[in-house]
Amino acid sequence: MCVADDNSGVAHSAEGSASKEEARGELVGALLRESREELERIDLKASILLSVCSLAIAALVHAAAYLHWDPRELVFTQWFLWMGMALSGAALVALAAAVWPRLSRGESAEDLIYFGHIAQFEDLEELNAALDKQASTNPSRADHATKRLLALSRLIDLKYRCIRWGMVLFGIAVPLCMVAVVRALTI
């Protein structure tokens, strides 16, 4: 085993740091794979929730139109309906935000993390220069993978927050609309 001293008084093992870097790279790779899988699941969840909520709103509107139902007949309880519909609309916006494609250039134009960063280049020479610069600032594959992991993790967090808001808003909207529907059926 080779032991080196970096003039700080601490001896370092080259073998130990190499295995630590290897373990870190494997961990980052595993987390990156899991994050990509989670991103696929999030998009599927958000798409399904968006479809279900849209269908529920469409069913309510269709039923009201079919029955020639006038919400103004509900007098006071019409506000339950209007609040429920407004919250349902906000829920749809939140769920749509979760599935909305993210095409931004990212936090830094120098970070080449995903296809959106690559698409900004006009020609091959410009792309090669950016790739060379990226390789010099991130000398190891693990460093680059770690940046991708961070970007994906932030995206996953944002999408889950949008889904959570959509579910909460729709969860509040349903009982409000139900109060109005029950009232309309008892008139």
Side-chain angles (χ1 to χ4, degrees):
M1 175 161 54
C2 177
V3 177
D5 186 359
D6 64 359
N7 293 328
S8 67
V10 178
H12 298 283
S13 165
E15 189 176 294
S17 64
S19 65
K20 185 177 181 181
E21 286 294 317
E22 189 176 298
R24 179 178 169 264
E26 289 176 16
L27 177 61
V28 168
L31 289 170
L32 196 52
R33 279 188 303 278
E34 291 173 11
S35 295
R36 287 180 180 139
E37 291 168 4
E38 188 65 30
L39 193 56
E40 289 176 18
R41 284 191 296 268
I42 289 170
D43 285 338
L44 182 60
K45 285 177 191 177
S47 296
I48 291 170
L49 287 168
L50 183 60
S51 297
V52 168
C53 292
S54 297
L55 288 172
I57 294 170
L60 179 64
V61 170
H62 178 69
Y66 179 75
L67 297 173
H68 304 289
W69 178 50
D70 185 3
R72 291 174 292 191
E73 293 174 2
L74 298 174
V75 188
F76 174 73
T77 52
Q78 74 175 310
W79 294 108
F80 284 94
L81 176 69
W82 297 127
M83 286 300 298
M85 294 303 286
L87 289 173
S88 295
L92 290 178
V93 168
L95 293 170
V99 295
W100 186 261
R102 304 298 194 273
L103 299 175
S104 69
R105 301 274 192 247
E107 296 151 6
S108 169
E110 297 172 1
D111 288 338
L112 302 177
I113 298 172
Y114 82 114
F115 74 90
H117 298 132
I118 304 301
Q120 70 185 335
F121 296 104
E122 299 294 324
D123 57 25
L124 187 60
E125 292 81 26
E126 197 177 327
L127 174 59
N128 282 331
L131 289 169
D132 290 341
K133 186 174 181 181
Q134 183 73 26
S136 68
T137 58
N138 296 303
S140 75
R141 290 178 64 175
D143 289 342
H144 186 68
T146 303
K147 278 189 176 183
R148 287 195 324 255
L149 177 62
L150 180 61
L152 271 179
S153 297
R154 288 179 179 161
L155 181 60
I156 290 167
D157 182 64
L158 174 65
K159 286 179 176 263
Y160 266 127
R161 289 179 190 279
C162 289
I163 290 171
R164 183 177 293 163
W165 272 105
M167 290 176 70
V168 165
L169 291 169
F170 202 73
I172 296 169
V174 167
L176 290 173
C177 289
M178 290 309 297
V179 166
V181 168
V182 167
R183 177 71 176 128
L185 293 174
T186 59
I187 290 180

